């Protein structure tokens, strides 16, 4: 059930969609049926929320607007268009799946000020200091048109979307949820992010709190926080980023606090939703990747710590598989 990073109708289809009878002959089933079969056998299946990924795929539609082809084979078709978060939020291709935007957002997607968000992909992505979106290069296939942006959890609209992903997964019967890339948006820092509007506003607000509490170092003394924008500051000072960037230590600490705050918000939301809607307890885990210190403040919010190899060079998959209850 990872399709929420393409659209909610795509995920709904993974969870509850009709499986072609020809495929059922070979044992295929939808993911809610698969979750039930696993539970019956005592296997605790987790829904994975790929928090950082926001996808756009080449897609071909028939005359009625049904989605008939995606990805590589769509690329080769002269009728090729796009399908993903952008089209979902713009309420395009309404016949692509049985559900559509207004089944999940009756009033359309709204930001904190009530303004309509027509392009979820661009609105919620992580950006570098020049404003360009950050790509999730490790999941994109080189030489193909598909595109995956890294998304920013500090954006409340993206958190709202992630909550809807979890609702579908819980409705589909998963005993647990794993929040993948749970250090979001620190994931994007080594690629030059995150200077999205949400991060910049929240960083400045955090700095003001620190200044009022007397916790900022002397390097901040000459900086006017009413006009401060970290991305603009780095550009004006001609600095590289993140290695050697001025004021980076405070920026990093700010993000550690945001990880703590928003991971908790999502974990609490998922548990509460399972309790109130389905009367059951939900397990929650996060991908703690290489166990860097940024994960420590969220350890008490998970039932399982799950790690991941930083790279596959040494081919030691036993570390990847290790989980601690
Ligand atoms: Zn951000």
């Amino acid at each position: 059930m990872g399709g929420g990073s393409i659209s909610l109708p795509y995920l709904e289809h993974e969870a509850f969609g009709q499986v072609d009878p020809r495929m059922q002959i070979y044992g295929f089933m939808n993911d809610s049926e698969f979750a039930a079969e696993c539970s019956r056998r005592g296997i605790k299946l987790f829904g994975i929320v790929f928090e950082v990924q926001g996808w756009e795929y080449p897609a071909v539609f028939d005359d009625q607007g049904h989605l008939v082809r995606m990805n590589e084979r769509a690329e080769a078709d002269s009728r090729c268009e796009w399908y993903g978060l952008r089209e979902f939020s713009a309420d395009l291709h309404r016949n692509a799946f049985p559900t559509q935007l207004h089944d999940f957002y009756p009033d359309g997607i709204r930001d904190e000020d009530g303004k309509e968000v027509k392009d979820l992909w661009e609105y919620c992505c992580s950006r570098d200091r020049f404003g360009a979106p950050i790509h999730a290069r490790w999941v994109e296939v080189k030489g193909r048109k598909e595109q995956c942006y890294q998304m920013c959890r500090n954006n409340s609209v993206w958190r709202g979307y992630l909550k809807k992903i979890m609702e579908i997964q819980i409705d589909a019967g998963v005993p647990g949820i794993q929040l993948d890339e749970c250090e979001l948006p620190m994931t994007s820092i080594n690629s030059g992010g995150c200077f999205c509007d949400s991060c910049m506003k929240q960083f400045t607000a955090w700095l003001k709190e620190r200044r009022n509490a007397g916790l900022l170092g002397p390097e901040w003394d000459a900086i006017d926080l009413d006009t401060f924008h970290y991305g603009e500051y780095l550009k004006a000072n001609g600095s590289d980023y993140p290695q050697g960037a001025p004021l980076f230590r405070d920026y990093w600490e700010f993000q550690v606090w945001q990880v703590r705050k928003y991971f908790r918000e999502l974990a609490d939301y998922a548990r509460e939703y399972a309790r109130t809607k389905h009367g059951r307890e939900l397990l929650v885990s996060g991908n703690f990747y290489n166990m860097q210190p940024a994960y420590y403040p969220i350890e008490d919010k998970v039932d399982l710590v799950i790690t991941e190899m930083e790279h596959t060079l040494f081919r030691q998959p036993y570390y990847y598989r290790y989980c601690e209850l």
Side-chain angles (χ1 to χ4, degrees):
M1 275 182 268
S5 50
I6 301 173
S7 78
L8 295 178
Y10 188 104
L11 172 61
E12 178 90 3
H13 184 66
E14 280 180 329
F16 300 107
Q18 182 69 34
V19 176
D20 188 321
R22 193 169 60 99
M23 302 304 286
Q24 291 182 37
I25 293 282
Y26 302 107
F28 284 86
M29 59 188 81
N30 67 34
D31 282 4
S32 61
E33 292 165 340
F34 184 63
E37 289 299 321
C38 287
S39 292
R40 211 159 57 82
R41 291 165 171 79
I43 299 166
K44 295 189 172 96
L45 190 75
F46 275 54
I48 311 293
V49 184
F50 294 105
E51 296 181 274
V52 78
Q53 297 180 34
W55 279 98
E56 281 289 325
Y57 276 102
V60 171
F61 302 85
D62 66 16
D63 293 341
Q64 283 78 46
H66 299 128
L67 180 51
V68 292
R69 203 158 290 149
M70 281 183 85
N71 210 4
E72 291 184 36
R73 291 180 65 221
E75 263 185 66
D77 194 309
S78 60
R79 300 168 296 168
C80 185
E81 298 180 60
W82 287 97
Y83 185 77
L85 292 177
R86 182 176 51 199
E87 291 70 24
F88 163 68
S89 52
D91 201 19
L92 297 172
H93 306 305
R94 303 179 75 178
N95 291 333
F97 292 100
T99 54
Q100 52 193 257
L101 176 69
H102 294 285
D103 293 308
F104 306 98
Y105 291 92
D107 302 320
I109 303 174
R110 304 275 163 180
D111 68 10
E112 279 173 335
D113 302 320
K115 230 175 105 203
E116 192 165 14
V117 176
K118 290 266 193 180
D119 188 339
L120 189 66
W121 199 45
E122 290 286 341
Y123 189 83
C124 300
C125 69
S126 179
R127 293 184 183 275
D128 68 17
R129 60 196 185 282
F130 305 102
I134 304 289
H135 285 252
R137 299 283 182 207
W138 69 93
V139 288
E140 288 179 339
V141 178
K142 281 196 179 109
R144 294 288 171 197
K145 286 186 178 170
E146 54 173 39
Q147 288 191 66
C148 185
Y149 283 176
Q150 294 194 38
M151 310 301 281
C152 185
R153 191 174 59 191
N154 288 344
N155 187 319
S156 64
V157 175
W158 188 243
R159 291 199 303 283
Y161 184 83
L162 295 175
K163 287 171 185 172
K164 288 186 186 295
I165 289 178
M166 297 193 294
E167 287 177 12
I168 294 172
Q169 294 182 341
I170 295 165
D171 290 346
V174 294
I177 277 181
Q178 161 150 314
L179 293 162
D180 203 31
E181 299 112 355
C182 65
E183 73 290 347
L184 205 63
M186 297 173 96
T187 326
S188 73
I189 288 177
N190 278 336
S191 306
C194 186
F195 295 90
C196 79
D197 288 347
S198 300
C199 282
M200 291 300 93
K201 275 184 207 151
Q202 290 167 30
F203 183 37
T204 304
W206 183 84
L207 288 168
K208 285 181 176 176
E209 279 175 30
R210 302 281 284 185
R211 174 166 281 172
N212 290 340
L215 293 171
L216 285 188
E219 65 274 26
W220 290 94
D221 286 351
I223 293 174
D224 176 7
L225 292 181
D226 286 330
T227 56
F228 180 72
H229 182 287
Y230 189 40
E232 296 300 328
Y233 177 89
L234 292 179
K235 283 193 282 182
N237 288 278
S239 169
D240 286 339
Y241 174 86
Q243 279 76 27
L247 313 177
F248 182 71
R249 191 187 164 93
D250 285 299
Y251 179 74
W252 180 268
E253 189 174 345
F254 151 74
Q255 290 292 11
V256 171
W257 281 100
Q258 300 311 91
V259 168
R260 181 180 188 275
K261 184 174 172 185
Y262 292 132
F263 182 89
R264 281 163 186 269
E265 179 183 311
L266 294 185
D268 288 345
Y269 182 86
R271 287 194 174 101
E272 188 59 23
Y273 181 81
R275 232 171 258 145
T276 52
K277 174 117 191 255
H278 297 281
R280 63 185 173 90
E281 294 300 312
L282 183 81
L283 295 167
V284 175
S285 81
N287 181 348
F288 280 53
Y289 190 46
N290 58 5
M291 304 284 283
Q292 55 141 311
Y295 297 104
Y296 296 178
I298 58 175
E299 188 195 348
D300 65 330
K301 293 305 284 186
V302 298
D303 299 290
L304 292 94
V305 169
I306 298 176
T307 58
E308 181 173 345
M309 282 188 293
E310 193 163 355
H311 55 73
T312 55
L313 183 68
F314 302 119
R315 305 197 182 284
Q316 294 173 306
Y318 54 83
Y319 181 70
Y320 183 72
R321 289 181 191 142
Y322 181 71
C323 300
E324 181 73 41
L325 191 60

